[in-house]
Amino acid sequence: MTTTVSTQAADGVGTSPRRPDGTVKVRGEFAYSSDLWHEDMVWGVTLRSPHPYARITAIDITDALAVPGVYAVLTHEDVPGVNRYGLEHSDQPVLASDVVRYQGEPVALVAADHPETARRAMKRIAVSYEELEPVTDSEAAVAGEGASLHDGGNVVRHVKIRRGPQELAADVVVSGVYEVGMQDQAFLGPESGLAVPDTEGGVDLYVATQWLHVDQQQIVAALGLPVEKVRLTLGGVGGAFGGREDLSMQVHACLLALHTGKPVKMVYNREESFYGHVHRHPAKMYYEHGATRDGRLVYVRTRLYLDGGAYASSTGAVVANAATLGAGPYKVDSVTIDCWGTYTNNPPCGAMRGFGAVQAAFGYESQMDKLAAACGLDPVEIRVRNAMSEGDLMPTGQTVDSAAPVAELLGLVQDKPMPPERPFDLRHLPGGVSNTTHGEGVVRGVGYAVGIKNVCFSEGFDDYSTARVRLQLVGGEPAATVHTAACEVGQGLVTIMQQIVRTELGVDQVTILPMDTSIGNGGSTSASRQTYVTGGAVQAACGAVRAKLLSRFDQRVRVVGGKLVAADGQVLADLVDVLGDDVYDETVEWRHRPTTALDPETGQGTAHVQYAFAAHRAVVDVDVELGLVKVVALDCAQDVGKALNPQAVLGQIQGGSAQGLGLAVMEEIQTSGGKIRNPSFTDYLIPTVLDVPPMSIDVLERPDPHAPYGLRGVGEPPTISSTPAIVAAIRAATGLALPRVPVRPEHLTGT
């Protein structure tokens, strides 16, 4: 009798298996980088500048060195290599030497036998400053006002996009000036790591990061060591959202470890974390939209100013995203976009979920609502009339060559049932159980928004990932191991890699090895790229293993459930028998299709790999007397190409929507004269379970033929469209213009 089996892999692509790290995280047993320990370790702390802009005139470490238990006090003079680092530009000092450019800039380091001892010694370091007038306005920085903070002036990058005729007239013209506040990634696990020196002048660093190899490149330059002397292993990461792309304590811990000859642990407290990582760029945006009387876009013109703070970080790439995506997911033949990223003495800004698209979306979606009102159209209808679809051109001239179901996404959220009218339950009213209202003065509003986001790195960047897959018998059973340097930061990459291997090699037992720099670059866990690029690398490595394994067969064969299966489902052999004592081990470096740089004068070019789309409908209740907002519903529809793990996809959409809610109504790092006023979770508010409403989510799967499994990046799009949808709903409830986020109570009450 012929035996046949199903070709669907158990716990493979398209299913939602249990996360391998899920149980230990729920139980509180997962080892985060802040939990790392070494028997002989000492503690490192950082002395930071209290001033946004000042000249250092003297540093005296004598009293700090005299504290019992102190092993080292280091300044810029102790940096053995180049005292500069940076993601795109090496413009940031490891330790400040002559000038500090933001409040919180590292000036000196202390290592001691106890963290309190280290902190006491740190306070004894005497630093003399000559305060300077800070540059704090991004638009003024572009105009050349204020001191030049870096060689070449205060403009990090200016991106110009020009497509179509530039002097068109329109029947209906609407304009607006919009602002986005500085948002924090607010990850719960603070910056932390453990540096362990070896006996040969090298160091091993265990750290929570998003990009092991770029960290390594910057560290070796600062330490003046060859790359093989500095080895990085990923520690447990308690969230990232872009805030761990840049260095924080990495070089500092390694410096102290090499200087003392002891393992050094560094863990930031919450206040220090606000100073120790980049934030979302605050933005000021000038938009003008022209349309026909029936609401068809004629032109979009915009100027966007993004405040990059004291150092460049990834500002150049954020500016490119804001510019290239600045007209939104809409068809428009005439586009004039200028976007600047600047240096100021505000806190450094860089990567955060949505990466430039968030700021632009608040501008263009606010404009679409204005345009709908001016044309007498429904907010959804005007978006549908202008919705981009496959084959349309971006402002850069790039053709959208895979699914772009913008109109369909809008229709899905519009057709969802409305939430019920308010029951008399304090928990469902603005202000909740604080009993501020019993329903009087509470008005309901509904708002819509749609967003667009690029996936993977852009503009000709050599974007790739490396994966090694090994297949052999372990304990008499087929087993696979996967080794990459791609960082698991909580998004579930370890689960996805297991699913891909189960699908491609048909084995149940899949082990993910620790992520480290002993294998080739995995790229950054950002830009919604890891499932695409590292997933593609793992798939390709599995393909190489499978090709060798099956080379003896003269027909097309798959491996499913430990069986070798022909195309008609007939079982040809057991994998155990075919493997025997052989080991199949393949390493693959995998790249997505190439992109190109933008033309510096017109901004034309094939800048992006892929585009992703999401739409939201928000329902809010607003207490117009007290200025309190309750988001009642935040429904979403998103095209994900292929849901490799449907449950994880829903989690990403829910989490991204919650971050967009935070930006809409509560989250902002507030600064005054360059100083942070609220560096704590007491004063910097993030949504809790009481703030996040029910979410009805539709997941579309419109495969991208250019991507592994047809997938499309998932993590960022829901953050982009959720914020403008919520603000649109608040506008609908109140009739107020609300040109700035987050919307505060005083914006609603006029007080």
Side-chain angles (χ1 to χ4, degrees), residues 466-469 481-485 511-519:
T466 311
R468 178 184 182 187
V469 173
T481 57
V482 182
H483 189 194
T484 77
T511 300
I512 308 299
L513 297 179
M515 291 124 173
D516 58 35
T517 53
S518 68
I519 189 170

Side-chain angles (χ1 to χ4, degrees), residues 480-658:
T481 57
V482 182
H483 189 194
T484 77
C487 296
E488 167 64 65
V489 301
Q491 81 276 32
L493 180 64
V494 289
T495 317
I496 290 294
M497 290 193 291
Q498 288 182 323
Q499 291 179 251
I500 291 172
V501 174
R502 290 178 185 130
T503 295
E504 299 297 327
L505 296 182
V507 297
D508 293 329
Q509 186 176 327
V510 182
T511 300
I512 308 299
L513 297 179
M515 291 124 173
D516 58 35
T517 53
S518 68
I519 189 170
N521 202 331
S524 175
T525 296
S526 59
S528 301
R529 67 176 288 281
Q530 282 295 7
T531 299
Y532 193 127
V533 182
T534 296
V538 172
Q539 182 189 34
C542 288
V545 167
R546 188 177 60 245
K548 283 193 173 181
L549 176 71
L550 303 180
S551 59
R552 71 189 69 178
F553 294 91
D554 59 1
Q555 59 177 303
R556 184 180 176 187
V557 179
R558 292 189 62 193
V559 187
V560 181
K563 309 287 185 182
L564 273 62
V565 182
D568 60 2
Q570 180 180 351
V571 174
L572 303 178
D574 285 336
L575 181 57
V576 170
D577 297 329
V578 175
L579 277 173
D581 295 329
D582 294 335
V583 176
Y584 296 84
D585 194 328
E586 295 291 331
T587 300
V588 170
E589 205 174 73
W590 190 88
R591 288 168 169 80
H592 55 63
R593 57 182 178 158
T595 57
T596 64
L598 294 172
D599 181 275
E601 294 303 318
T602 65
Q604 301 300 287
T606 306
H608 298 308
V609 176
Q610 182 191 68
Y611 297 99
F613 306 89
H616 274 87
R617 183 191 69 186
V619 182
V620 304
D621 284 341
V622 182
D623 186 324
V624 295
E625 297 174 356
L626 297 176
L628 301 177
V629 176
K630 174 72 175 179
V631 182
V632 177
L634 189 55
D635 303 321
C636 182
Q638 183 170 332
D639 174 27
V640 304
K642 168 67 177 178
L644 271 62
N645 184 312
Q647 190 173 42
V649 164
L650 290 176
Q652 286 290 314
I653 295 173
Q654 290 165 343
S657 299

Side-chain angles (χ1 to χ4, degrees), residues 227-266:
V227 69
E228 64 271 13
K229 290 282 192 179
V230 179
R231 300 161 295 271
L232 273 68
T233 300
L234 185 69
V237 183
F241 312 113
R244 299 189 199 270
E245 273 203 274
D246 297 77
L247 295 184
S248 57
M249 45 62 62
Q250 285 93 323
V251 180
H252 298 160
C254 291
L255 279 172
L256 289 170
L258 291 172
H259 192 87
T260 62
K262 288 180 170 291
V264 174
K265 179 173 180 175
M266 297 188 77

Side-chain angles (χ1 to χ4, degrees), residues 124-383:
R124 294 193 179 190
I125 300 173
V127 184
S128 299
Y129 296 97
E130 176 191 337
E131 291 190 59
L132 303 171
E133 184 66 27
V135 177
T136 59
D137 184 280
S138 184
E139 191 173 358
V142 170
E145 300 175 16
S148 181
L149 303 181
H150 294 272
D151 293 341
N154 290 336
V155 174
V156 178
R157 188 179 184 189
H158 173 206
V159 172
K160 297 191 296 183
I161 297 179
R162 306 287 188 270
R163 189 169 70 81
Q166 295 293 293
E167 300 298 331
L168 294 179
D171 299 325
V172 180
V173 176
V174 296
S175 61
V177 183
Y178 306 98
E179 294 185 43
V180 175
M182 184 186 296
Q183 188 180 18
D184 188 66
Q185 295 85 353
F187 41 72
L188 296 186
E191 291 82 350
S192 55
L194 178 68
V196 182
D198 63 23
T199 58
E200 299 175 350
V203 63
D204 288 277
L205 178 65
Y206 304 85
V207 65
T209 182
Q210 289 178 244
W211 197 345
L212 288 163
H213 280 81
V214 161
D215 283 7
Q216 184 187 43
Q217 291 166 15
Q218 296 173 87
I219 294 168
V220 298
L223 298 181
L225 292 175
V227 69
E228 64 271 13
K229 290 282 192 179
V230 179
R231 300 161 295 271
L232 273 68
T233 300
L234 185 69
V237 183
F241 312 113
R244 299 189 199 270
E245 273 203 274
D246 297 77
L247 295 184
S248 57
M249 45 62 62
Q250 285 93 323
V251 180
H252 298 160
C254 291
L255 279 172
L256 289 170
L258 291 172
H259 192 87
T260 62
K262 288 180 170 291
V264 174
K265 179 173 180 175
M266 297 188 77
V267 181
Y268 290 178
N269 60 31
R270 183 57 58 188
E271 179 175 343
E272 187 174 20
S273 182
F274 274 93
Y275 297 113
H277 65 258
V278 298
H279 315 287
R280 189 187 300 287
H281 291 74
K284 188 172 185 180
M285 304 173 290
Y286 296 81
Y287 268 93
E288 182 180 301
H289 282 56
T292 61
R293 296 192 189 282
D294 63 351
R296 312 273 177 186
L297 284 173
V298 175
Y299 67 79
V300 174
R301 299 169 188 157
T302 181
R303 291 179 290 123
L304 303 96
Y305 299 89
L306 302 182
D307 186 345
Y311 296 103
S313 181
S314 54
T315 290
V318 173
V319 165
N321 273 12
T324 58
L325 307 175
Y330 301 112
K331 293 179 292 189
V332 56
D333 292 329
S334 175
V335 180
T336 308
I337 297 174
D338 286 277
C339 185
W340 291 269
T342 65
Y343 290 119
T344 68
N345 294 115
N346 291 319
C349 292
M352 185 176 173
R353 194 177 198 165
F355 204 82
V358 166
Q359 295 90 327
F362 180 64
Y364 64 67
E365 286 300 89
S366 298
Q367 284 287 101
M368 293 304 285
D369 284 335
K370 274 190 179 182
L371 196 59
C375 295
L377 293 174
D378 176 86
V380 172
E381 175 59 26
I382 199 163
R383 288 171 168 85

